[in-house]
Amino acid sequence: METYVLKDERKKELEILDKAIEKVGRKELPHILRIQQTVLKAVDEYMYKKNITRIMPIMIAPITDTLNHDVEECEVNYEGQKFDITKSMIFHKQVILSSPYLDKIYIVSPNVRLEQEEKGDKRHLFEFTQVDFEFKGADMDDIFEFQEGLVKYVFDYIKKECADEFKALGIGTSHLDVSVPFKRYTTQELKVKYGDDFEEIASKKATQPFWLINHKREFYDAEDLENPGTYKNYDLIWPYGYIEGMSGGEREYKYDRILTRMRENGVDENAFRNYIQLAKDGKIPKTAGAGFGVERMTRFICQQNEIDDVTVFTRKPGEIYLF
Ligand code: ASN
């Protein structure tokens, strides 16, 4: 009996193996990957021209992003110390900018977030890469202008460089004809208009990317003290139903504000004691920044049904993984 079960399980596994190899062998894949490669090339060029310093990613660290939703924990023990696997480099970005010699930085940053499986979810991978940037002294308007310039630069570049790829994928490029500045909406106004699913509905109706401002989320995004309960943070929403593609904010950087927000959010202060110490010593500067998902941008550009369509190996939550 036992051997039958084993055989059955093995049979299932071999079917999954076939599927995994079919996924690697899709004829669309090289075109999608070429477009993604061109995105990264254009991003690097844009950053280089703007004199933004590229930092190499950190993959494990004693602190990482607290996130605003639950994911499974994954810790690593090394030399008697506990490390988390990077969920985002938000705190590293702030610490890097404590240097008097660095003002603007970015990282092509791999992130691991062990998301729960959700039915119909087309936009999460449990590991992905974001282009994560942070600027000293910047505010929301600076980030909007910067990112609008980046999106336009990347899309114009792709249209020029990747005509053959779009032809091979059988899609046009009119969704990449963006006009800046992008429209700005607050979460409150769209909620009144469309109800709880406002992000998805507004994205489906839109034909241009737009900003969605004011989200109640992680402690490090700055609260607007002139309008308590509202926040100086933002998402960039891709149109045609592709939803969130980037998020960021002005940051809390003052000791008392960081502590207040941590306490409101129930963050473990002991785990963050060295970060808090830096804030107490006035070493965390005023900054703003954001990060956009590379695979999400690729999915939008290539008009793929779901985010896992742009990966070589499946990283969709809830699957069985062989590689
Ligand atoms: N990169 C984002 C930011 O800069 C944070 C995140 O990925 N959760 O705000």
Side-chain angles (χ1 to χ4, degrees), residues 65 67 88 90 93 113 130 132 218 220 247-249 251 289-291:
D65 199 331
L67 299 181
S88 95
I90 176 63
K93 292 197 297 181
R113 300 179 185 174
Q130 66 169 311
D132 211 358
E218 297 91 343
Y220 52 76
S247 66
R251 313 301 180 188

Side-chain angles (χ1 to χ4, degrees), residues 245-256:
M246 173 177 121
S247 66
E250 292 183 20
R251 313 301 180 188
E252 300 288 4
Y253 61 100
K254 292 183 180 156
Y255 173 64
D256 60 325

